[in-house]
Coordinates of all heavy atoms in Angstrom, one line a residue:
N115 N 109.7 105.8 99.6 CA 109.4 106.9 100.6 C 110.5 106.8 101.6 O 110.6 105.9 102.4 CB 108.0 106.7 101.2 CG 107.7 107.8 102.2 OD1 108.6 108.6 102.5 ND2 106.5 107.9 102.6
D116 N 111.4 107.8 101.6 CA 112.6 107.8 102.5 C 112.4 108.5 103.8 O 113.3 108.7 104.6 CB 113.8 108.4 101.8 CG 113.7 109.8 101.4 OD1 112.6 110.4 101.6 OD2 114.7 110.5 101.0
S117 N 111.1 108.9 104.1 CA 110.9 109.6 105.4 C 110.1 108.7 106.4 O 109.5 109.3 107.3 CB 110.2 110.9 105.1 OG 109.0 110.6 104.4
V118 N 110.0 107.4 106.1 CA 109.3 106.6 107.1 C 110.1 105.4 107.5 O 111.2 105.2 106.9 CB 107.9 106.1 106.4 CG1 107.0 107.2 106.2 CG2 108.2 105.3 105.1
S119 N 109.6 104.5 108.3 CA 110.4 103.4 108.8 C 110.5 102.3 107.6 O 109.8 102.4 106.6 CB 109.6 102.7 110.0 OG 108.4 102.1 109.5
A120 N 111.4 101.4 107.8 CA 111.6 100.3 106.8 C 110.3 99.6 106.5 O 110.0 99.3 105.4 CB 112.7 99.4 107.3
E121 N 109.6 99.3 107.6 CA 108.3 98.5 107.4 C 107.3 99.3 106.6 O 106.7 98.8 105.6 CB 107.8 98.2 108.8 CG 106.5 97.4 108.7 CD 106.0 96.8 110.0 OE1 106.6 97.2 111.0 OE2 105.1 96.0 110.0
E122 N 107.2 100.6 107.0 CA 106.3 101.5 106.2 C 106.7 101.7 104.8 O 105.9 101.7 103.8 CB 106.1 102.8 106.9 CG 105.3 102.7 108.2 CD 105.4 104.0 109.0 OE1 106.6 104.5 109.2 OE2 104.4 104.5 109.6
A123 N 108.1 101.8 104.6 CA 108.6 102.0 103.2 C 108.3 100.8 102.3 O 107.9 101.0 101.2 CB 110.1 102.3 103.3
A124 N 108.4 99.6 102.9 CA 108.1 98.4 102.2 C 106.6 98.3 101.8 O 106.2 98.0 100.7 CB 108.5 97.2 103.0
D125 N 105.8 98.6 102.8 CA 104.3 98.6 102.6 C 103.9 99.6 101.5 O 103.1 99.3 100.6 CB 103.5 99.0 103.8 CG 103.5 97.8 104.8 OD1 104.0 96.7 104.4 OD2 103.1 98.0 106.0
D126 N 104.5 100.8 101.6 CA 104.2 101.9 100.7 C 104.7 101.5 99.3 O 103.9 101.7 98.3 CB 105.0 103.0 101.2 CG 104.8 104.3 100.6 OD1 105.4 104.6 99.5 OD2 103.9 105.0 101.1
Y127 N 105.8 100.9 99.2 CA 106.4 100.5 97.8 C 105.5 99.4 97.2 O 105.2 99.5 96.0 CB 107.8 100.1 98.0 CG 108.6 100.3 96.7 CD1 108.8 101.6 96.2 CD2 109.1 99.3 96.0 CE1 109.5 101.8 95.0 CE2 109.9 99.5 94.8 CZ 110.0 100.7 94.3 OH 110.7 101.0 93.2
E128 N 105.1 98.5 98.1 CA 104.2 97.4 97.5 C 102.9 98.0 97.0 O 102.4 97.6 96.0 CB 104.0 96.3 98.6 CG 103.0 95.2 98.0 CD 103.0 94.0 98.8 OE1 104.0 93.5 99.4 OE2 101.9 93.4 98.9
F129 N 102.3 98.9 97.8 CA 101.1 99.5 97.4 C 101.3 100.3 96.1 O 100.4 100.1 95.2 CB 100.6 100.5 98.5 CG 99.4 101.3 98.2 CD1 98.1 100.6 98.4 CD2 99.4 102.5 97.7 CE1 97.0 101.3 98.0 CE2 98.2 103.2 97.3 CZ 97.0 102.5 97.5
H130 N 102.3 101.0 95.9 CA 102.6 101.7 94.7 C 102.7 100.7 93.5 O 102.2 101.0 92.5 CB 103.9 102.5 94.9 CG 104.3 103.3 93.7 ND1 103.6 104.4 93.4 CD2 105.3 103.2 92.9 CE1 104.1 105.0 92.3 NE2 105.2 104.2 92.0
V131 N 103.5 99.6 93.7 CA 103.6 98.6 92.7 C 102.2 98.1 92.3 O 101.9 97.9 91.1 CB 104.6 97.5 93.1 CG1 104.5 96.3 92.1 CG2 106.0 98.1 93.1
R132 N 101.4 97.8 93.3 CA 100.0 97.3 93.1 C 99.2 98.2 92.2 O 98.5 97.8 91.4 CB 99.3 97.0 94.4 CG 99.7 95.8 95.1 CD 98.8 95.4 96.3 NE 99.4 94.2 97.0 CZ 99.3 92.9 96.6 NH1 98.5 92.7 95.6 NH2 99.9 92.0 97.2
Q133 N 99.3 99.5 92.4 CA 98.6 100.5 91.6 C 99.0 100.3 90.2 O 98.2 100.4 89.3 CB 98.8 101.9 92.1 CG 98.4 102.2 93.5 CD 97.1 101.7 93.9 OE1 96.1 102.0 93.2 NE2 97.0 100.8 94.9
L134 N 100.3 100.2 89.9 CA 100.8 100.1 88.6 C 100.5 98.7 87.9 O 100.5 98.6 86.7 CB 102.3 100.4 88.5 CG 102.6 101.9 88.9 CD1 104.1 102.1 89.1 CD2 102.1 102.9 87.8
V135 N 100.3 97.7 88.7 CA 99.9 96.4 88.2 C 98.4 96.6 87.8 O 98.0 96.1 86.7 CB 100.1 95.3 89.2 CG1 99.4 94.0 88.8 CG2 101.6 95.0 89.4
K136 N 97.6 97.2 88.6 CA 96.2 97.4 88.3 C 96.0 98.1 87.0 O 95.1 97.7 86.2 CB 95.5 98.3 89.4 CG 94.9 97.5 90.5 CD 94.0 98.3 91.4 CE 93.8 97.6 92.7 NZ 93.8 98.5 93.8
T137 N 96.8 99.1 86.7 CA 96.7 99.8 85.4 C 97.4 99.1 84.3 O 97.5 99.6 83.2 CB 97.2 101.2 85.5 OG1 98.5 101.2 85.9 CG2 96.4 102.0 86.5
R138 N 98.1 98.0 84.7 CA 98.9 97.2 83.7 C 100.1 97.9 83.1 O 100.6 97.6 82.1 CB 98.1 96.6 82.6 CG 97.1 95.5 83.0 CD 97.9 94.3 83.5 NE 96.9 93.2 83.9 CZ 96.4 93.0 85.1 NH1 96.7 93.9 86.1 NH2 95.6 92.0 85.3
T139 N 100.5 99.0 83.8 CA 101.8 99.6 83.5 C 102.9 98.5 83.7 O 103.8 98.3 82.9 CB 102.1 100.9 84.3 OG1 101.1 101.8 84.1 CG2 103.5 101.5 84.0
I140 N 102.7 97.9 84.9 CA 103.5 96.7 85.1 C 102.6 95.5 84.7 O 101.5 95.4 85.1 CB 103.9 96.5 86.6 CG1 104.6 97.8 87.1 CG2 104.7 95.3 86.9 CD1 104.9 97.8 88.6
N141 N 103.2 94.6 84.0 CA 102.5 93.4 83.6 C 102.2 92.5 84.8 O 102.8 92.7 85.8 CB 103.4 92.6 82.6 CG 102.6 92.0 81.5 OD1 101.4 91.8 81.6 ND2 103.3 91.5 80.5
V142 N 101.3 91.5 84.6 CA 101.0 90.6 85.7 C 101.3 89.2 85.3 O 101.1 88.8 84.2 CB 99.5 90.8 86.2 CG1 98.5 90.4 85.1 CG2 99.3 90.1 87.5
S143 N 101.8 88.4 86.2 CA 102.2 87.1 86.0 C 100.9 86.3 85.6 O 99.9 86.5 86.2 CB 102.8 86.4 87.2 OG 102.8 85.1 87.1
D144 N 101.1 85.3 84.6 CA 99.9 84.5 84.3 C 99.7 83.3 85.2 O 98.8 82.6 85.1 CB 99.9 84.1 82.8 CG 101.3 83.9 82.3 OD1 102.2 83.7 83.1 OD2 101.5 84.0 81.0
I145 N 100.7 83.1 86.1 CA 100.5 81.9 87.0 C 100.4 82.3 88.5 O 100.1 81.5 89.3 CB 101.7 81.0 86.8 CG1 103.0 81.7 86.8 CG2 101.6 80.1 85.6 CD1 104.2 80.9 86.7
S146 N 100.6 83.6 88.8 CA 100.4 84.0 90.2 C 99.8 85.4 90.0 O 99.7 85.9 88.9 CB 101.7 84.1 91.0 OG 102.5 85.0 90.4
D147 N 99.5 86.1 91.1 CA 99.1 87.5 90.9 C 100.2 88.4 91.0 O 100.1 89.6 91.1 CB 98.0 87.8 92.0 CG 98.6 88.0 93.4 OD1 99.7 87.4 93.6 OD2 98.0 88.7 94.2
C148 N 101.4 87.9 90.9 CA 102.6 88.8 91.1 C 102.9 89.7 89.9 O 102.5 89.4 88.8 CB 103.9 87.9 91.2 SG 104.2 87.3 92.9
P149 N 103.5 90.8 90.2 CA 103.9 91.7 89.1 C 105.0 90.9 88.2 O 105.7 90.1 88.7 CB 104.6 92.9 89.8 CG 104.9 92.4 91.2 CD 104.0 91.4 91.5
K150 N 104.9 91.2 86.9 CA 105.9 90.6 86.0 C 106.7 91.7 85.3 O 106.3 92.3 84.3 CB 105.0 89.8 84.9 CG 105.8 89.0 84.0 CD 104.8 88.3 83.1 CE 105.5 87.5 82.0 NZ 104.5 86.9 81.1
F151 N 107.8 92.1 86.0 CA 108.6 93.1 85.5 C 109.3 92.6 84.2 O 109.6 91.5 84.0 CB 109.7 93.5 86.5 CG 109.1 94.3 87.7 CD1 108.7 93.6 88.8 CD2 109.0 95.7 87.6 CE1 108.2 94.4 89.9 CE2 108.5 96.4 88.6 CZ 108.0 95.8 89.8
D152 N 109.5 93.6 83.3 CA 110.1 93.2 82.0 C 111.6 92.7 82.2 O 112.0 91.8 81.6 CB 110.1 94.3 81.0 CG 108.6 94.7 80.6 OD1 107.8 93.7 80.4 OD2 108.3 95.9 80.6
L153 N 112.2 93.4 83.2 CA 113.6 93.0 83.5 C 113.9 93.4 85.0 O 113.6 94.5 85.4 CB 114.6 93.8 82.6 CG 116.1 93.6 83.0 CD1 116.5 92.2 82.9 CD2 116.9 94.5 82.0
I154 N 114.5 92.4 85.7 CA 115.0 92.7 87.1 C 116.5 92.5 87.0 O 117.0 91.4 86.6 CB 114.3 91.8 88.2 CG1 112.8 92.1 88.2 CG2 115.0 92.1 89.5 CD1 112.1 91.3 89.3
L155 N 117.3 93.5 87.3 CA 118.7 93.4 87.3 C 119.2 93.3 88.8 O 118.9 94.1 89.6 CB 119.3 94.7 86.7 CG 119.2 94.9 85.2 CD1 119.5 96.3 84.8 CD2 120.2 93.9 84.5
L156 N 120.0 92.3 89.0 CA 120.5 92.0 90.3 C 122.1 92.0 90.3 O 122.6 91.5 89.3 CB 120.0 90.6 90.9 CG 118.5 90.5 90.9 CD1 118.2 89.0 91.2 CD2 117.9 91.3 92.0
G157 N 122.6 92.4 91.4 CA 124.1 92.1 91.7 C 124.1 90.9 92.6 O 123.0 90.4 93.0
M158 N 125.3 90.4 93.0 CA 125.3 89.4 94.0 C 126.6 89.6 94.9 O 127.6 90.0 94.4 CB 125.5 88.0 93.3 CG 125.5 86.8 94.3 SD 125.9 85.3 93.6 CE 127.7 85.4 93.4
G159 N 126.4 89.4 96.2 CA 127.5 89.6 97.1 C 128.3 88.3 97.2 O 127.9 87.2 96.8

Side-chain angles (χ1 to χ4, degrees):
N115 181 347
D116 63 352
S117 57
V118 294
S119 69
E121 181 170 10
E122 285 166 317
D125 285 351
D126 188 274
Y127 206 64
E128 176 166 327
F129 180 79
H130 183 67
V131 168
R132 282 189 186 276
Q133 300 314 301
L134 293 171
V135 168
K136 264 189 201 145
T137 58
R138 291 296 183 270
T139 302
I140 305 172
N141 215 346
V142 66
S143 160
D144 32 22
I145 42 175
S146 64
D147 73 334
C148 276
K150 187 178 177 186
F151 287 92
D152 296 316
L153 173 62
I154 298 181
L155 284 167
L156 302 170
M158 184 188 77

